Amino acid sequence: MAEGENHLASSYDIALSSLITKRSRADKSNKGDRFDILFDYIKILDLEEPISKMKVIHVAGTKGKGSTCTFAESILRNCGFHTGLFSSPHLIDIRERFRLDGMDICQEKFLTYFWWCWNTLKACTFIPLIFGSYFMFFLNVNIAVQEKTSDDIPMPPLFRFLALLAFKIFAAEQVDVVILEVGLGGKFDATNVVQTPIVCGISSLGYDHMEILGNTLGEIAGEKAGIFKQGVPAFTVPQPDEAMCILKEKASQLDVKLQVAPLLDVTLLNGQHLALDGEHQYLNAGLAIALCSTWLERAGHREFNFLDQTNSLPEQFVKGLTTATLQGRAQIVPDRSIDAESAGDLLYYLDGAHSPESMEVCGKWFSHAITGESKQQNVSNQRQDDSSGSCELANSYSHGNPKTNSTQILLFNCMSVRDPQLLLPRLINTCANHGVHFQKALFVPNISVYYKVLSSALPPTDSQVDLSWQLTLQNVWEDLIGVEKEGDVKDADLVYEENDNNKESGVRSSDNSIVFPSLPLAIKWLRDTVQRNKSVRFQVLVTGSLHLVGDVLRLVKK
């Protein structure tokens, strides 16, 4: 890469950071934080006609929309179409949000499209940025001196910029189909600038982002139904009555044919398994099948019309459903820093659940995975650049090399806008119902603070970090788990390190939990504990935040 390109690659995180705003991502008091301004951005970027011609599948929902989009992309790619998928959040690198034919966009293309969009927007009031040896100087000056494109048209906040970038990428790459995952809500989401999608989908609804979307399922459903367009067919999954009533009402107002997609019948997979693990994925797969079938029909590909077939699925659909990849959802990763003789002694079970309903689903998956009850173990759920050998190796870790004992540990964090009194009991009770009990809970702050948008180097350990929220989580955990743990001596012989060094590092230990000032310290504690307990397999559930899941993946895969 040339010197000028190095400047670009090392600087776009600074540019993105300047788009971060503490304003609510959707504010009902000002029409979704000036939603209409998105159409001004589209005019500036000359994207009106390209967006109008895109053949879009648009998906909103509380749970499962990412999985549904992933299944849909994989199905249509295996049908031979050039696919573009926009999703969020990313776990390690921001390029994960933009997938072309199932792969993260390459850095060269990403940088080209990124800087074109950035400079086109900036050019409304500024001379385009000068590329070359003085690039950093001009970039920093522009960010520091002027945060707005104009008084009336400010530079878009981060997610809106990324959505606009996605439209530019998909238009320039001339994809056949665009699969759009809503970022938040639906009505005022940046992806909702699409006026004529081919088909819309609403995945499972539940209580999340209530500070923005509303306090009832009806209000939340109304925001999600904001993606419905006049006369455009839509599908959903079985919903609570309150939510379904609103979805039907909104659909009726827009002459939308709303149908409930059937649950995927496992027999249609011809003895194979869904690529994404968990019972709930059959709902998402069924929704993806309905969306893809309708897209194929309405986009003029009638040779692929399988919507009414209930006895079989075409091989392209089966392959799409059984090979889709999505990081951070029901994913099992071994810690490769452990020496070969102890390989598999430290396993991370990663799931980005962060709502009460998804915590229950996560608890079921984790319990089934560690007790061997699950009929399909998606142990690796690796990205496509990982080797199949690593998948087989991870699978052998989970089911081979039996230890005399195993212990379950929770590694947890969630955003402060969420209520741990709603999240943690769902997890604890679900696992307990399957005979699974956590020996310790570890609470950590995320590494990925909101302004860190790239996979850059991890920050050093900071013992001065504010741990007030993690201490709150610890207190909730101790109150919930204390009675359950009484008399449980299952893992009493485990050797845990509690010493003055921990105290000096800011570690706060209680009977059933530990607060660490950083994730690297927690990982080190886990690895050290494994070395002192050679006969035990440690199964660590990482959940509560997709950002935390991404942080763990970044550390463990280094």
Side-chain angles (χ1 to χ4, degrees):
M1 183 178 290
E3 181 180 352
E5 291 176 321
N6 274 324
H7 283 308
L8 299 183
S10 63
S11 305
Y12 73 91
D13 55 337
I14 301 175
L16 285 171
S17 297
S18 75
L19 303 180
I20 299 298
T21 172
K22 293 184 181 298
R23 292 174 296 176
S24 173
R25 287 173 285 180
D27 185 347
K28 298 175 184 178
S29 67
N30 64 1
K31 198 178 181 182
D33 196 14
R34 299 181 66 188
F35 176 78
D36 287 346
I37 202 174
L38 280 160
F39 296 98
D40 293 320
Y41 298 137
I42 288 171
K43 289 180 181 178
I44 293 171
L45 297 172
D46 198 22
L47 287 172
E48 290 176 293
E49 183 178 358
I51 290 177
S52 69
K53 291 182 177 179
M54 289 180 182
K55 296 179 179 179
V56 173
I57 295 176
H58 201 188
V59 182
T62 305
K63 302 167 293 176
K65 61 183 183 292
S67 298
T68 299
C69 288
T70 298
F71 280 134
E73 185 281 327
S74 186
I75 289 172
L76 293 176
R77 173 163 39 87
N78 279 281
C79 285
F81 295 99
H82 182 23
T83 62
L85 169 62
F86 177 61
S87 62
S88 61
H90 63 279
L91 297 184
I92 297 176
D93 192 293
I94 200 167
R95 292 181 295 110
E96 297 166 24
R97 297 178 184 237
F98 313 90
R99 305 194 85 180
L100 297 170
D101 295 326
M103 301 294 291
D104 301 348
I105 187 172
C106 69
Q107 186 179 61
E108 181 181 4
K109 285 184 176 181
F110 178 80
L111 290 173
T112 298
Y113 296 130
F114 173 87
W115 288 116
W116 184 89
C117 289
W118 177 269
N119 287 310
T120 301
L121 290 171
K122 281 288 186 182
C124 290
T125 53
F126 290 113
I127 297 173
L129 296 175
I130 296 175
F131 297 94
S133 60
Y134 293 102
F135 173 81
M136 283 295 292
F137 170 77
F138 279 96
L139 176 62
N140 290 328
V141 168
N142 277 338
I143 291 174
V145 174
Q146 178 81 20
E147 291 184 356
K148 295 185 176 182
T149 300
S150 73
D151 290 338
D152 295 325
I153 306 178
M155 281 293 285
L158 178 63
F159 184 79
R160 287 184 174 181
F161 180 86
L162 296 179
L164 294 166
L165 176 57
F167 290 126
K168 173 61 181 178
I169 290 171
F170 299 147
E173 293 294 317
Q174 298 181 314
V175 299
D176 299 319
V177 56
V178 172
I179 300 99
L180 292 178
E181 178 190 350
V182 165
L184 176 64
K187 184 177 181 180
F188 295 131
D189 188 75
T191 61
N192 206 31
V193 296
V194 173
Q195 300 299 294
T196 55
I198 299 294
V199 62
C200 297
I202 306 289
S203 64
S204 298
L205 298 179
Y207 293 99
D208 198 15
H209 299 296
M210 296 165 64
E211 76 282 2
I212 296 171
L213 303 180
N215 295 315
T216 68
L217 277 179
E219 290 177 326
I220 292 171
E223 291 294 319
K224 307 289 186 180
I227 68 169
F228 290 165
K229 299 298 185 297
Q230 185 75 37
V232 174
F235 290 86
T236 188
V237 298
Q239 305 282 5
D241 290 342
E242 181 183 358
M244 187 64 79
C245 181
I246 296 299
L247 292 181
K248 289 180 177 178
E249 178 184 324
K250 298 291 185 181
S252 177
Q253 292 170 0
L254 293 170
D255 191 29
V256 168
K257 183 181 180 182
L258 178 64
Q259 301 178 65
V260 177
L263 182 79
L264 172 64
D265 184 346
V266 66
T267 62
L268 298 181
L269 296 178
N270 303 325
Q272 301 183 66
H273 300 299
L274 284 178
L276 308 182
D277 196 19
E279 297 175 2
H280 60 294
Q281 294 295 359
Y282 289 90
L283 274 178
N284 301 327
L287 179 57
I289 290 170
L291 293 172
C292 290
S293 299
T294 302
W295 184 91
L296 288 164
E297 180 180 9
R298 299 192 77 224
H301 304 284
R302 298 186 182 277
E303 70 275 19
F304 289 105
N305 182 16
F306 307 113
L307 187 58
D308 297 325
Q309 294 195 18
T310 57
N311 296 323
S312 65
L313 279 177
E315 61 177 312
Q316 298 98 323
F317 276 48
V318 173
K319 186 175 181 181
L321 293 169
T322 56
T323 60
T325 60
L326 184 62
Q327 283 203 114
R329 280 79 165 180
Q331 180 180 8
I332 305 174
V333 176
D335 192 321
R336 300 189 180 279
S337 73
I338 306 299
D339 62 69
E341 292 183 359
S342 302
D345 286 355
L346 180 54
L347 290 170
Y348 298 95
Y349 294 72
L350 304 152
D351 192 86
H354 51 267
S355 70
E357 296 84 359
S358 60
M359 292 302 291
E360 184 172 336
V361 170
C362 173
K364 288 181 181 178
W365 164 72
F366 178 64
S367 300
H368 290 165
I370 67 172
T371 58
E373 296 174 15
S374 179
K375 294 182 179 180
Q376 66 171 61
Q377 290 292 327
N378 180 17
V379 171
S380 60
N381 192 7
Q382 302 289 326
R383 297 169 65 184
Q384 293 189 4
D385 57 356
D386 285 345
S387 67
S388 59
S390 65
C391 301
E392 296 170 1
L393 185 60
N395 192 55
S396 69
Y397 288 157
S398 186
H399 299 288
N401 188 24
K403 297 291 181 179
T404 59
N405 202 356
S406 65
T407 189
Q408 291 75 50
I409 293 177
L410 176 67
L411 181 56
F412 187 90
N413 192 36
C414 66
M415 294 175 62
S416 58
V417 296
R418 309 194 191 281
D419 186 353
Q421 296 279 8
L422 297 177
L423 300 181
L424 291 174
R426 287 286 192 102
L427 179 65
I428 292 170
N429 294 335
T430 301
C431 290
N433 289 339
H434 290 82
V436 175
H437 305 272
F438 294 99
Q439 179 69 12
K440 286 278 186 181
L442 313 182
F443 299 102
V444 296
N446 289 347
I447 294 173
S448 301
V449 291
Y450 196 43
Y451 60 84
K452 295 286 284 185
V453 293
L454 288 185
S455 57
S456 52
L458 298 174
T461 299
D462 184 1
S463 60
Q464 303 303 314
V465 67
D466 181 7
L467 295 175
S468 56
W469 176 243
Q470 283 68 39
L471 292 171
T472 297
L473 296 175
Q474 182 183 46
N475 290 336
V476 172
W477 179 265
E478 290 292 332
D479 290 342
L480 291 170
I481 208 73
V483 175
E484 182 189 23
K485 297 285 284 190
E486 287 182 5
D488 184 5
V489 294
K490 168 176 169 276
D491 294 316
D493 293 334
L494 289 177
V495 179
Y496 294 111
E497 183 177 327
E498 312 286 355
N499 55 37
D500 291 338
N501 289 334
N502 283 341
K503 295 178 182 178
E504 292 175 3
S505 300
V507 174
R508 318 288 178 85
S509 181
S510 296
D511 290 343
N512 307 298
S513 59
I514 307 175
V515 170
F516 291 93
S518 73
L519 177 60
L521 274 179
I523 298 295
K524 181 181 184 302
W525 180 89
L526 284 166
R527 290 168 174 170
D528 290 345
T529 303
V530 168
Q531 296 294 344
R532 289 190 299 273
N533 296 272
K534 295 289 189 178
S535 64
V536 180
R537 168 169 292 139
F538 286 80
Q539 298 162 319
V540 182
L541 175 61
V542 183
T543 191
S545 164
L546 273 168
H547 297 291
L548 175 62
V549 167
D551 292 340
V552 171
L553 281 171
R554 190 183 295 114
L555 275 172
V556 171
K557 286 189 172 185
K558 284 186 66 178

